[in-house]
Amino acid sequence: MTLALTAIDIIRRKRDGGTLNDTEISWIISAYIKGQVADEQMSALLMAIFFTGMNDSEVHAWTSAMVASGKTMNLGKVSRPTVDKHSTGGVGDKISLPLAPLVASFGAAVPQLSGRGLGHTGGTLDKLESIPGWNCHLDSKQMGELLHDPGCYIAAPSTDVAPADKKLYALRDITCTVDSIPLIASSIMSKKIAEGTDALVLDVKCGSGAFMTKREDATSLARTMVQLGNDAGLKVSALITDMSSPLGNAVGNAVEVGESIEVLQGAGPDDVVELTCALAAEMLSLAGIDIDDPGKNLRNGKAYDTWVKMVQAQGGNPFAPLPHARHSDTMYANSHGTVSQVDALRVGLAAWRLGAGRTRKEDSVDPCAGVIVHARPGDNVTKGQPLFTLLSSSESGFDAARYELANSWQIAKESPNTPLPHTKTDASPSYSLPLIIDRVTS
């Protein structure tokens, strides 16, 4: 006789460090989606997983169950090779905006399903909604048309793509169980597998502004996700990249769109260009397209032309002025020296305090809010030189933002002896901690 499965038995086994089998995992995910398992019970199971972990078999089963909770998109009719990218989130991480049209400009199809920001990490959809008229909600017909021409879209996932993940993520967010490698890996990969792409490149952030602050944790997460993708038949690789300082100079929504457009027009901050081109090379390689210099389509305007077509196809006006903040405030260096730290987490929290992010998923964001970073690690500054400009539609968040930023930067009287992120120089000492820390393929 087979005993009926119960949530209590499954919670108890995981709480006590036991291993769940495929049947148990499939049942509890399905039962939770159907309302047969209460939020309180699933919260208890998530907390048990947070503390006791999951082995490879459990993570695989958990991911498969979340994929099976909804529909898998079929991109088989797309004539171009399909390849996507996913970032684990960071501060100033606007890379998807220039990356999707850049890769598409070389003949690949980029079906980019993105999300919204929560807390200090910005959301790609929030940024793009700064563009007048831009629409993130596309049906399958529109997606197919855009993958044909211009070759890319950036859109919100439909409600029937891995719906279990959406429900579980909301629960993880309010129960402090987000920072779990098995749960992060299965959350990301269930959506990407259900998306139907042939290949996927992962940008796994490491540093103060990332979920994974330690390199070994970032590497473990990357390997777990790569294996999940390979098991599902995807070609997957991962780059582990530095997130100890913000990416680029702009942190927020409209300001990051503006900086992305600069990159697409052949300019923009060096670190944003470097990471965009590195991820583009990785994506094009997985798609079977041999390009020795992805940056050439930034310089010759082809990527920007693709961006214009994509924005217009999604209802936006790529030439309209972006929202502009009514209020601004500037913070200045209090001494001479070399900037030795600009902490990504603190800058992200400052932007959040100004209204660029949200506390709850249902909160709205201020498209004008953000922080402009004027000096980066390795830069020489003089007393009274601007370090940050704060932007917002309201002055109410300035005090809190200034408090966050006051703890975000350090100025050394002499050049520090340790490498600093994102900065290149031919002088000695070398500020050469690589932006791209490692590559994981298995």
Side-chain angles (χ1 to χ4, degrees):
M1 182 179 68
T2 302
L3 296 176
L5 293 170
T6 70
I8 292 174
D9 289 336
I10 291 172
I11 294 165
R12 182 186 297 111
R13 183 173 298 111
K14 198 69 220 171
R15 182 200 65 186
D16 295 341
T19 300
L20 303 180
N21 62 41
D22 292 6
T23 300
E24 290 169 326
I25 289 172
S26 176
W27 176 84
I28 200 160
I29 294 289
S30 176
Y32 180 58
I33 291 298
K34 296 174 182 176
Q36 297 168 356
V37 171
D39 282 347
E40 294 84 353
Q41 293 175 307
M42 185 56 79
S43 296
L45 179 58
L46 293 172
M47 191 62 74
I49 292 169
F50 184 89
F51 283 113
T52 64
M54 281 182 162
N55 64 26
D56 290 346
S57 176
E58 288 175 298
V59 177
H60 183 277
W62 192 273
T63 305
S64 298
M66 292 205 293
V67 173
S69 71
K71 296 181 179 179
T72 299
M73 297 174 62
N74 184 2
L75 303 178
K77 295 182 179 180
V78 178
S79 58
R80 303 178 181 215
T82 58
V83 58
D84 192 11
K85 162 261 182 188
H86 182 85
S87 167
T88 57
V91 178
D93 184 14
K94 73 278 296 174
I95 300 299
S96 290
L97 279 64
L99 180 62
L102 173 60
V103 173
S105 71
F106 286 106
V110 185
Q112 178 91 85
L113 296 182
S114 298
R116 301 191 180 278
L118 193 65
H120 76 277
T121 58
T124 299
L125 301 183
D126 298 320
K127 304 180 204 300
L128 285 165
E129 285 179 343
S130 302
I131 301 172
W134 185 83
N135 173 37
C136 69
H137 299 290
L138 304 176
D139 59 32
S140 57
K141 181 175 182 294
Q142 291 171 313
M143 290 178 178
E145 291 172 350
L146 265 67
L147 290 181
H148 174 72
D149 184 32
C152 59
Y153 58 75
I154 302 177
S158 65
T159 56
D160 56 5
V161 172
D165 176 66
K166 183 176 181 180
K167 191 172 181 181
L168 283 170
Y169 189 89
L171 198 59
R172 288 167 56 207
D173 181 54
I174 61 173
T175 58
C176 297
T177 54
V178 171
D179 302 344
S180 160
I181 288 175
L183 295 176
I184 292 173
S186 58
S187 172
I188 291 171
M189 294 308 297
S190 64
K191 289 177 294 210
K192 291 303 176 181
I193 293 168
E195 180 185 79
T197 188
D198 297 324
L200 173 67
V201 174
L202 298 159
D203 180 3
V204 181
K205 303 296 188 187
C206 176
S208 70
F211 284 124
M212 301 291 107
T213 59
K214 299 178 181 178
R215 177 173 176 172
E216 54 266 33
D217 291 337
T219 301
S220 176
L221 175 61
R223 286 176 175 161
T224 300
M225 291 193 292
V226 168
Q227 187 60 54
L228 286 171
N230 289 338
D231 289 346
L234 275 66
K235 292 176 283 186
V236 188
S237 65
L239 298 183
I240 298 174
T241 65
D242 182 66
M243 186 36 69
S244 54
S245 292
L247 268 170
N249 303 317
V251 179
N253 295 305
V255 290
E256 290 194 38
V257 174
E259 191 165 83
S260 299
I261 292 171
E262 292 176 8
V263 173
L264 285 161
Q265 293 176 333
D270 289 346
D271 60 336
V272 179
V273 175
E274 178 186 350
L275 184 52
T276 299
C277 290
L279 288 166
E282 197 77 12
M283 292 172 70
L284 290 166
S285 175
L286 290 186
I289 300 173
D290 185 19
I291 301 295
D292 59 353
D293 177 21
K296 66 184 180 182
N297 278 12
L298 296 175
R299 300 187 295 271
N300 63 25
K302 290 183 179 179
Y304 177 70
D305 291 342
T306 304
W307 160 267
V308 168
K309 290 180 180 179
M310 180 187 75
V311 172
Q312 289 176 328
Q314 293 190 233
N317 182 350
F319 310 113
L322 294 167
H324 184 73
R326 293 195 300 271
H327 302 281
S328 65
D329 191 18
T330 302
M331 297 180 67
Y332 302 92
N334 56 9
S335 63
H336 303 293
T338 302
V339 177
S340 60
Q341 175 180 303
V342 178
D343 185 83
L345 175 60
R346 291 294 178 182
V347 176
L349 289 172
W352 169 65
R353 298 281 193 184
L354 292 166
R358 51 173 61 83
T359 303
R360 302 171 302 171
K361 283 187 175 294
E362 59 268 25
D363 292 346
S364 60
V365 299
D366 177 3
C368 307
V371 176
I372 304 299
V373 181
H374 297 293
R376 306 186 59 80
D379 290 349
N380 293 321
V381 296
T382 59
K383 185 176 180 178
Q385 181 175 328
L387 292 181
F388 306 104
T389 296
L390 288 61
L391 303 169
S392 183
S393 296
S394 167
E395 295 180 279
S396 62
F398 280 157
D399 286 345
R402 289 177 68 91
Y403 173 81
E404 298 289 358
L405 291 173
N407 298 300
S408 73
W409 54 273
Q410 294 180 8
I411 296 177
K413 291 183 179 180
E414 298 179 356
S415 297
N417 294 320
T418 54
L420 298 173
H422 300 184
T423 311
K424 302 175 183 176
T425 178
D426 294 329
S428 180
S430 173
Y431 304 111
S432 58
L433 181 68
L435 175 59
I436 300 164
I437 298 171
D438 202 357
R439 179 173 180 265
V440 176
T441 58
S442 62

